[in-house]
């Protein structure tokens, strides 16, 4: 007897087309404000490997995961060095301290710049993606 595996597919419920378009417009305005401030801004959250600078994107989900977000992208080798330090229990290493300083300072700078540009910006409160900013109009 051949057993069949059932593949369970799930679909993330998306916001309305109007809401998705509104988020896209807001993400465009956010990206423009950051670019005017001198940042390299990336928009494709699905292809961020190797990208450096600010990432601004609109998530179409119709739940608390949806909205417009910004985060700072650093060199992957820089991140790996910090992770390696933590895995070795060395949170006092120069690599980890430098990574922490850059991450925290760029988060604060992006938050301040977005707020100054007139956006309602706050911590996204996402344990899986710390130092991510949620932007509202």
């Amino acid at each position: 007897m051949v057993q069949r595996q059932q593949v369970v597919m799930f679909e993330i419920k998306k916001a309305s087309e109007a809401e998705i378009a509104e988020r896209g417009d807001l993400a465009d305005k956010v990206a423009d404000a950051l670019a005017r401030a001198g940042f390299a801004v990336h928009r494709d959250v699905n292809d961020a490997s190797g990208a450096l600078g600010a990432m601004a994107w609109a998530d179409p989900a119709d739940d608390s995961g949806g909205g417009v977000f910004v985060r700072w992208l650093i060199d992957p080798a820089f991140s790996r060095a910090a992770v390696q330090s933590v895995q070795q229990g060395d949170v006092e290493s120069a690599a980890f301290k430098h990574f922490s300083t850059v991450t925290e300072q760029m988060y604060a700078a992006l938050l301040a710049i977005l707020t100054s540009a007139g956006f309602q910006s706050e911590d996204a409160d996402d344990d899986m993606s710390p130092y991510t900013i949620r932007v509202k109009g």
Side-chain angles (χ1 to χ4, degrees):
M1 180 169 140
V2 176
Q3 287 187 332
R4 294 183 185 168
Q5 284 188 325
Q6 182 178 1
V7 177
V8 178
M9 301 293 288
F10 65 93
E11 187 175 325
I12 297 173
K13 186 174 179 196
K14 292 185 177 182
S16 69
E17 290 299 319
E19 176 67 22
I20 292 171
E22 188 176 306
R23 289 178 191 175
D25 289 345
L26 178 58
D28 288 344
K29 290 175 185 172
V30 165
D32 185 53
L34 292 173
R36 285 194 319 261
F39 291 102
V41 183
H42 304 278
R43 296 294 310 279
D44 189 351
V45 72
N46 295 314
D47 187 27
S49 63
L52 303 174
M55 169 69 75
W57 75 96
D59 188 314
D62 188 31
D63 59 16
S64 63
V68 174
F69 300 93
V70 173
R71 67 178 306 200
W72 188 250
L73 303 174
I74 60 175
D75 187 295
F78 191 21
S79 297
R80 283 191 299 275
V83 168
Q84 186 177 30
S85 292
V86 171
Q87 289 173 336
Q88 295 172 350
D90 188 7
V91 294
E92 296 299 318
S93 72
F96 184 73
K97 286 181 178 180
H98 186 51
F99 170 84
S100 296
T101 297
V102 170
T103 301
E104 291 170 4
Q105 294 302 312
M106 293 312 298
Y107 167 82
L110 288 167
L111 194 57
I113 289 165
L114 291 167
T115 301
S116 177
F119 298 102
Q120 182 184 352
S121 306
E122 62 192 18
D123 186 82
D125 195 27
D126 182 347
D127 292 339
M128 298 303 290
S129 187
Y131 298 104
T132 298
I133 299 166
R134 178 184 296 274
V135 182
K136 299 178 181 174

